[in-house]
Structure formats: structure tokens, C-alpha cells
């Protein structure tokens, strides 16, 4: 596989041929208390460890070393909160001091190396402080998305067994205040594990009533003494992040300290072209993997400035929120989900809001989280006039599997493609029997072991479950659960989850391919295509379409246009004829469309409201349509 003959091709091939040499060289970008002498430990195959003899502290690498290098006055974090009408900036020295003090507060509660701390907070600077403070004392944080329901929070408390919970009194959404303390209290009645303390950051929008084991953040910090970073083995866990939507015991993805730091530092420079002093905005939440990797750790590891945004940055009436933040803070690059751009396109199809804001510093738009349809790609590229880079990765991988390495060697972009595999990711397309397929043949996307540093080494407390969940299907491979193909140039096209492949009268079709055709219609803002049961053909594709603001096409005309387009682009074999125009699509808080839930309802199952859903009313409104 080759996408070029320059720096990318050389780096990619070296990472596979000489992983020890490649990653030890990359490890030189990190400050170690004991530098590693070897990169990979394969003695536990298929459980691999990275930098087994190395020792470091991640928080030191994110903060202290920049201060010690004379860059303490550089801006580390910009807090932008339209929902409270406030903002703050933190220099590296200020953030280091706050982290060191809160780390001292945790230490005063007995939190130390290997202890777990659940962080249940909204998008406030104290969430970042809490995460880095855990890393500073060698504790393992487990961030739970703020506002998660009590039962989901209880499951994570039960599995992680935290010594302390760190929380805020409330989160603020565009239309309501969500009080966190009652959720925590209810979760603790469900879980059998009992944390020793809950530390609560009191917010003026809704103060919490504190119980006997609860501590006020401000009071605790006022009496705390700063502590120095605690060195830990590179193979020790930095955090546990539970995958969303799980039932029963949740799957806790583990991230180690050493491999994580090395991989993320490499990606910021080589994938995102971000370095010291650059302003970088990841429009996500610290409760998701994107927030862990690219709001908190990666930008700080390389000395950049990270934007922490509290609020929903798109939607009526403020379609210009993204552009305001980029312009106001001098942002060089933005990382968000395609659904955010589709939402802007829906309410402001001509990008009139964009014209209000100077975008002189803006260089690249990075999109990930779900498939980027070509229509959204073209819209963003046309109006922003910067490279629009689709890239692909997962909670489990922690950083991009496939991307366009803008800092290493910018490559041509292709609509519909997540670009090329990054160093360390030996990506193959396999058929059902495990045979490697040829270019343009669609199958399961799998990755040859070992996975590179920064990927999950295992699941929390359960190596066998890790093997059974990810490594069992194909011997020697990690199964991504996504399907797609690789073209002649080595570009990866991710067409959707393998369970989004439908069987129409014996023909296997990707719903992602049909979605790409539907989304190309000029009246369509966003869409979802699912497979529904059909007595004759087994399954049939069904499209749910949200129109752009101001679209005047009638439902019947739109249906005829879409049916004709799918017939033309994919063929009559798709048997596509069912189109429903809806006001909105149900999504998770991270922007992913809940296709699996939609399929279940359409097939007659009594699907519960997922805990990750952004707005349950959208799903409730859609249920009659799905069942119709």
C-alpha cells in the first residue's frame, strides 16, 4: 500500500518494518524520568506493552516541562462559555499551579498511585485540572460524561472502584440546568462500591447540598499544598474510559501512560500540524475519547493552546458560533464531527454567518466521529476554502487509524475517504474467512497486531474479555467493527459499521454508500439510511432525511429524485424507494446518529431510550414514522 513516495511513505513503512526504531525515535519528544531502551514487549502476545522499561509522568509532560523551558506565560487553555457568558485563559504556569494544588488536595484524601478517581463534570476548566491532577499523583481517572443517567454512572463506579468522585454541582445546557449531585446520590444507591469522598465544585447556577462524605472543591483546595509529579511506569494506566451504549458490565478501555504520551505528541505535530503556541480547538466533550486525546492531553503535550468550549456550538439561532470562536481566538485548526457541519449547513446553507468573521488564522478543518458524506465535504471546502480532512479512529484506538498527515506530508484529499493509514496501523480488508482482499473489494476493516502505542492494551480488569471482544474473529488481527475498502492509492474508505451492511435479495449493500447518494441532493441537510425487514427481499434500505432551511421541494418530488439517483449511482439492485422527511435525527451527545436504535424500532422491537442520547424528544417523535 502506498499513497506517496515522500515522508509519509517512508514513515509508514518504517513503522511496520522497524517499530522499535520508529517509536523509540518518537519517544524522544517526551521527557522521561527513566528513558525506555526498547519500544515493544511482545512476551504476552496477543497482549502487547509499549516502552516496558520507561518511566514518566504525563502531567509533568503536559505542563511542568513547558514552564521549566521558559514558556510558563504561554497560553495553555482558553475557556469559552457562552452558556454562562464567561471566559478565562490560563497560562502554562497558572494551569500547572492549579493542577499541582488540586493534586495535593487529592493526596490529602489518600489518593495515590494506582487509585481510581471518577470525574463527573461539565466542560469547565476544573475538569481538565482534575484529570491532570490524577495523572500528577499517579492515580487513574475515569471521566464519565456529565449528565449521564444514574444507572450508567453506577455501572462505571462499580467497575472502576474509585476512591474519590470529583464532580460539579451542575451542568448547563442551552435550555436547562442539569443538577449532578442528585444523579450521583442515586447512582451510589445502585452501586455496591462506596467511594470515600465526593468533591463538588459548586457552580452558582445550581448549588448542591453536601452530605457527610462530600467536600467543597474551593474549601478543599484552600487548605491543600501543591505536590510534585509522581513518576509511574510507562505501562501503568493513565485512565479508564468506558465505551458508551454498553449493557451489563461496561467495557473499560485502558490507556497507558507511556504509549499514550508518545503517540499523541506524534499526532499533533505530524497529523494535525500543531505545535508550540498554535491555537487548537476540538469541539467535543472531555467525557469522550476525542476530549481526552485532543482537548486535554495532545495539545498540552506539544505546548499548544487548547480551547475548552462550554455550550452547543451550532444550531438556531447561532449558526455562526463556530466561526466566532475560530476568529476570536485565532484558531489554526478545528476538529469536530461531520454532524456539526451538517447542522450548520442546514440552518445556514449559504454560509452567510461565516462572512461576518475574519478567518485569517484558520488553516484546516478536521472531521471524525462518523462517516463524512461527500456533500458535506464539498460544502465545507467551498465555503471555508481550507483543506477538509476526514479521518477515522475509535475510542479503543485513542488516535487516528487513518488520516491525512498534514504536518508530515500533506496528501491530496478524496471525498468519502478517511485518507491513508497512519504509522503503526497495518490496515487490511478481510473477507468472512479472513482472506486479505484486493483494492476496491469491500469487507471488514481489521488491523494486524500489534496495535501501535496509544491504542488500548486491554480492558480494565479483564484481558480475556479484551481478547474475546476484539481479537477472536480473525487470528492475529484487531477487528474494528467497521467495513470498507482500500483503493489503488492506499486510501481507506470507511463505509460504516459492519452491522450497517444490509442484504437485499442476496446482495450485500452498504447503507453508507446509499447515504452518500442521498446526501448529495441539494435539498438534503443530513440523512440516515437503515435496513428494515422485508418478507420478500430480506432487507430493504429506508432513508430518513432532514431538509436544509428554506428548501422548497415537496416530499414526493424529493423521493423521486432520490430513488432515481440511487438507481443511477448504485443500481436497481438496491431496491431503494422508501424516503421519509423528518424534522431531526436522533443523535448521541457526541453527534453520532443512533442508527442501531432506529433499526430496532423499525423492526418492531421496544427499544429503550439510550443513555447517550442528546434529545429524547427527537427519538419519541420519530418512533411512529419508524414503525409506519
Amino acid at each position: 500500500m502506498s499513497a506517496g513516495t515522500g515522508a509519509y511513505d517512508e514513515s509508514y513503512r518504517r513503522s511496520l518494518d522497524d517499530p522499535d526504531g520508529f517509536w523509540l525515535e518518537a519517544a524522544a519528544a517526551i521527557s522521561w524520568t527513566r528513558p525506555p531502551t526498547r519500544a515493544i514487549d511482545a512476551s504476552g502476545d496477543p497482549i502487547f506493552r509499549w516502552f516496558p522499561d520507561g518511566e514518566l509522568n504525563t502531567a509533568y509532560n503536559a505542563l511542568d516541562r513547558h514552564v521549566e523551558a521558559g514558556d510558563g506565560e504561554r497560553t495553555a487553555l482558553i475557556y469559552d462559555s457562552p452558556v454562562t457568558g464567561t471566559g478565562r485563559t490560563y497560562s502554562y504556569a497558572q494551569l500547572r499551579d492549579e493542577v499541582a494544588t488540586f493534586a495535593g488536595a487529592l493526596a490529602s484524601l489518600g489518593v495515590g498511585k494506582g487509585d481510581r478517581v471518577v470525574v463527573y463534570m461539565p466542560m469547565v476548566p476544573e475538569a481538565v485540572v482534575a484529570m491532570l491532577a490524577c495523572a500528577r499523583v499517579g492515580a487513574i481517572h475515569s471521566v464519565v460524561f456529565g449528565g449521564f443517567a444514574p444507572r450508567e454512572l453506577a455501572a462505571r463506579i462499580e467497575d472502576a472502584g474509585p476512591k474519590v468522585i470529583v464532580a460539579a454541582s451542575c451542568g448547563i445546557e442551552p435550555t436547562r440546568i442539569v443538577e449532578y449531585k442528585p444523579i450521583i446520590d442515586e447512582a451510589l444507591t445502585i452501586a455496591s462500591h462506596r467511594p470515600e469522598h465526593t468533591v463538588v465544585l459548586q457552580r452558582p447556577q445550581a448549588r448542591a447540598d453536601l452530605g457527610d462524605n462530600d467536600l467543597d472543591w474551593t474549601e478543599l483546595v484552600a487548605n491543600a499544598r501543591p505536590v510534585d509529579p509522581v513518576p509511574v511506569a510507562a505501562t501503568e494506566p493513565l485512565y479508564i474510559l468506558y465505551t458508551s451504549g454498553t449493557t451489563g458490565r461496561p467495557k473499560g478501555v485502558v490507556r497507558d501512560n507511556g504509549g499514550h504520551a508518545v503517540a499523541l505528541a506524534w499526532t499533533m505535530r505530524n497529523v494535525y500540524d500543531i505545535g508550540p503556541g498554535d491555537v487548537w480547538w476540538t469541539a467535543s466533550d472531555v467525557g469522550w475519547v476525542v476530549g481526552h486525546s485532543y482537548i486535554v492531553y495532545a495539545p498540552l503535550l506539544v505546548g499548544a493552546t487548547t480551547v475548552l468550549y462550554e455550550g452547543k456550538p451550532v444550531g438556531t439561532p447561532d449558526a455562526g458560533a463556530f466561526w466566532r470562536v475560530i476568529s476570536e481566538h485565532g484558531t489554526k485548526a478545528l476538529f469536530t464531527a461531520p454532524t456539526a457541519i451538517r447542522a450548520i449547513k442546514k440552518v445556514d446553507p449559504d454560509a452567510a454567518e461565516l462572512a461576518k468573521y475574519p478567518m485569517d488564522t484558520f488553516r484546516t478543518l478536521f472531521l471524525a466521529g462518523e462517516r463524512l458524506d461527500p456533500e458535506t465535504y464539498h460544502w465545507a471546502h467551498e465555503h471555508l476554502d481550507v483543506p477538509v480532512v476526514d479521518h477515522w479512529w475509535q475510542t479503543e484506538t485513542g488516535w487516528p487509524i487513518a488520516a491525512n498527515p498534514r504536518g508530515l506530508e500533506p496528501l491530496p484529499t478524496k471525498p468519502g475517504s478517511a485518507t491513508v493509514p497512519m504509522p503503526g496501523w497495518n490496515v487490511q480488508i478481510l473477507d468472512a474467512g479472513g482472506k486479505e482482499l484486493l483494492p476496491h473489494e469491500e469487507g471488514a476493516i481489521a488491523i494486524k497486531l500489534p496495535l501501535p502505542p496509544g491504542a488500548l492494551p486491554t480492558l480494565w480488569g479483564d484481558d480475556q474479555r479484551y481478547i474475546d471482544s476484539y481479537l477472536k474473529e480473525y487470528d492475529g488481527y484487531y477487528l474494528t467493527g467497521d467495513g470498507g475498502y482500500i483503493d489503488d492509492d492506499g486510501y481507506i474508505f470507511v463505509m460504516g459499521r459492519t452491522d450497517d451492511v444490509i442484504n437485499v435479495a442476496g446482495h450485500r449493500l452498504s447503507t453508507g454508500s446509499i447515504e452518500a447518494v442521498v446526501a448529495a441532493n441539494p435539498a438534503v441537510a443530513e440523512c440516515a439510511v437503515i435496513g428494515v425487514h422485508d418478507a420478500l427481499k430480506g432487507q430493504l434500505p429506508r432513508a430518513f432525511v432532514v431538509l436544509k432551511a428554506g428548501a422548497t421541494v415537496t416530499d414526493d418530488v424529493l423521493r423521486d429524485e432520490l430513488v432515481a439517483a440511487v438507481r443511477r449511482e448504485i443500481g436497481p439492485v438496491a431496491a431503494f424507494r422508501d424516503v421519509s422527511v423528518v424534522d431531526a435525527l436522533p443523535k448521541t451527545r457526541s453527534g453520532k446518529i443512533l442508527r442501531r436504535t432506529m433499526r430496532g424500532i423499525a423492526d418492531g422491537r421496544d427499544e429503550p431510550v439510550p443513555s447517550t442520547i442528546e434529545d429524547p424528544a427527537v427519538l419519541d417523535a420519530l418512533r411512529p414514522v419508524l414503525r409506519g
Side-chain angles (χ1 to χ4, degrees):
M1 169 185 320
S2 177
T5 57
Y8 161 73
D9 194 60
E10 180 182 350
S11 293
Y12 183 69
R13 293 191 179 281
R14 186 180 173 214
S15 75
L16 301 187
D17 296 340
D18 179 23
D20 267 282
F22 181 87
W23 290 112
L24 281 175
E25 185 176 298
I30 297 300
S31 295
W32 303 82
T33 51
R34 185 174 66 234
T37 62
R38 58 194 180 113
I40 190 167
D41 175 10
S43 61
D45 185 1
I47 306 291
F48 297 89
R49 306 292 182 186
W50 286 93
F51 311 110
D53 58 345
E55 184 185 77
L56 75 163
N57 182 276
T58 297
Y60 173 87
N61 275 276
L63 299 172
D64 301 66
R65 66 172 177 157
H66 303 305
V67 178
E68 293 172 6
D71 296 319
E73 296 310 307
R74 180 188 297 154
T75 301
L77 185 146
I78 298 171
Y79 170 57
D80 187 309
S81 176
V83 295
T84 63
T86 64
R88 281 178 268 166
T89 60
Y90 294 77
S91 69
Y92 270 90
Q94 289 170 327
L95 191 56
R96 187 273 315 268
D97 291 347
E98 292 215 10
V99 167
T101 301
F102 192 67
L106 291 176
S108 73
L109 301 178
V111 175
K113 188 183 293 189
D115 290 327
R116 276 80 63 205
V117 175
V118 162
V119 178
Y120 187 66
M121 302 187 81
M123 289 286 285
V124 292
E126 289 82 0
V128 178
V129 169
M131 293 168 70
L132 290 166
C134 290
R136 193 174 188 86
V137 299
I140 303 165
H141 64 69
S142 183
V143 181
V144 180
F145 181 87
F148 246 24
R151 190 162 297 278
E152 281 70 31
L153 177 58
R156 286 147 176 80
I157 291 171
E158 190 71 30
D159 195 64
K163 179 171 281 191
V164 170
I165 296 175
V166 179
S169 60
C170 69
I172 304 168
E173 297 186 0
T175 59
R176 63 183 182 134
I177 304 294
V178 180
E179 297 190 33
Y180 286 178
K181 191 60 169 53
I183 298 174
I184 296 170
D185 291 342
E186 184 177 344
L188 291 177
T189 67
I190 299 170
S192 61
H193 177 79
R194 289 288 175 271
E196 295 177 9
H197 298 284
T198 298
V199 179
V200 180
L201 173 72
Q202 296 281 21
R203 306 190 75 189
Q205 291 79 11
R207 296 182 64 84
D209 294 328
L210 302 185
D212 293 340
N213 294 324
D214 302 330
L215 300 167
D216 181 276
W217 172 297
T218 303
E219 293 176 4
L220 184 66
V221 166
N223 298 311
R225 293 183 177 180
V227 296
D228 292 329
V230 175
V232 299
T235 54
E236 287 297 312
L238 170 68
Y239 69 75
I240 307 164
L241 182 60
Y242 290 95
T243 56
S244 60
T246 55
T247 57
R249 183 187 172 201
K251 285 194 290 191
V253 170
V254 172
R255 202 78 65 206
D256 63 10
N257 274 272
H260 172 261
V262 172
L264 290 194
W266 189 91
T267 63
M268 282 308 283
R269 295 183 176 94
N270 292 282
V271 175
Y272 300 107
D273 192 25
I274 296 294
D278 289 334
V279 181
W280 162 262
W281 180 26
T282 297
S284 182
D285 191 283
V286 293
W288 311 122
V289 68
V290 170
H292 280 58
S293 293
Y294 294 109
I295 295 176
V296 182
Y297 286 109
L300 297 178
L301 284 168
V302 299
T305 299
T306 184
V307 177
L308 184 78
Y309 184 93
E310 185 184 22
K312 189 175 180 180
V314 294
T316 306
D318 192 5
F322 266 131
W323 322 136
R324 192 271 302 171
V325 172
I326 291 169
S327 180
E328 186 173 311
H329 301 305
T331 305
K332 181 178 179 181
L334 166 68
F335 177 2
T336 190
T339 188
I341 303 303
R342 286 194 288 267
I344 295 173
K345 181 163 66 84
K346 176 187 175 185
V347 299
D348 187 19
D350 297 322
E353 290 292 322
L354 179 60
K356 299 177 181 179
Y357 299 98
M359 303 280 282
D360 301 337
T361 62
F362 193 51
R363 296 291 178 269
T364 317
L365 172 64
F366 294 94
L367 298 173
E370 65 174 4
R371 186 171 181 272
L372 172 60
D373 58 281
E375 173 63 21
T376 301
Y377 165 87
H378 287 301
W379 184 91
H381 181 70
E382 174 189 350
H383 291 290
L384 290 169
D385 195 28
V386 299
V388 177
V389 177
D390 188 13
H391 62 317
W392 166 63
W393 50 298
Q394 303 176 325
T395 298
E396 291 84 353
T397 70
W399 60 281
I401 301 168
N404 192 323
R406 303 298 300 174
L408 178 64
E409 180 192 3
L411 300 173
T413 57
K414 293 187 181 185
S417 171
T419 322
V420 295
M422 289 296 92
W425 301 101
N426 190 343
V427 179
Q428 302 293 332
I429 310 297
L430 306 181
D431 68 9
K435 176 187 174 184
E436 294 182 5
L437 296 176
L438 297 173
H440 295 282
E441 291 184 331
E442 192 167 333
I445 306 177
I447 300 163
K448 275 189 177 180
L449 299 177
L451 301 182
L456 83 166
T458 188
L459 294 174
W460 176 249
D462 202 336
D463 288 350
Q464 190 58 49
R465 190 180 185 193
Y466 165 60
I467 294 169
D468 292 343
S469 298
Y470 300 103
L471 311 182
K472 205 170 184 179
E473 186 77 17
Y474 301 110
D475 186 37
Y477 288 90
Y478 166 89
L479 184 65
T480 68
D482 284 307
Y485 64 91
I486 298 174
D487 72 5
D488 293 321
D489 297 321
Y491 281 58
I492 299 173
F493 289 74
V494 182
M495 304 309 295
R497 302 295 291 174
T498 51
D499 54 10
D500 285 334
V501 174
I502 61 175
N503 193 315
V504 181
H507 299 279
R508 288 171 57 81
L509 298 171
S510 165
T511 56
S513 299
I514 302 173
E515 283 184 6
V517 177
V518 173
N521 187 285
V524 174
E526 61 180 348
C527 65
V529 174
I530 62 173
V532 297
H533 175 73
D534 181 76
L536 178 63
K537 294 181 178 289
Q539 284 181 298
L540 287 175
R542 188 175 176 193
F544 297 84
V545 172
V546 178
L547 299 181
K548 292 178 182 175
T552 58
V553 64
T554 66
D555 290 2
D556 288 343
V557 169
L558 178 66
R559 175 192 171 279
D560 291 345
E561 290 178 356
L562 295 179
V563 169
V566 171
R567 185 181 182 89
R568 181 175 62 251
E569 298 295 331
I570 295 177
V573 67
F576 176 73
R577 55 179 179 269
D578 195 342
V579 178
S580 298
V581 177
V582 297
D583 293 331
L585 295 171
K587 299 174 185 175
T588 68
R589 295 182 181 96
S590 62
K592 292 183 179 179
I593 297 171
L594 291 162
R595 292 176 177 83
R596 183 178 299 179
T597 302
M598 292 171 64
R599 282 199 306 270
I601 296 171
D603 285 341
R605 295 193 294 273
D606 187 20
E607 291 283 338
V609 177
S611 61
T612 56
I613 195 167
E614 180 182 43
D615 185 354
V618 173
L619 184 60
D620 290 340
L622 193 60
R623 283 180 190 270
V625 182
L626 287 162
R627 288 174 173 156

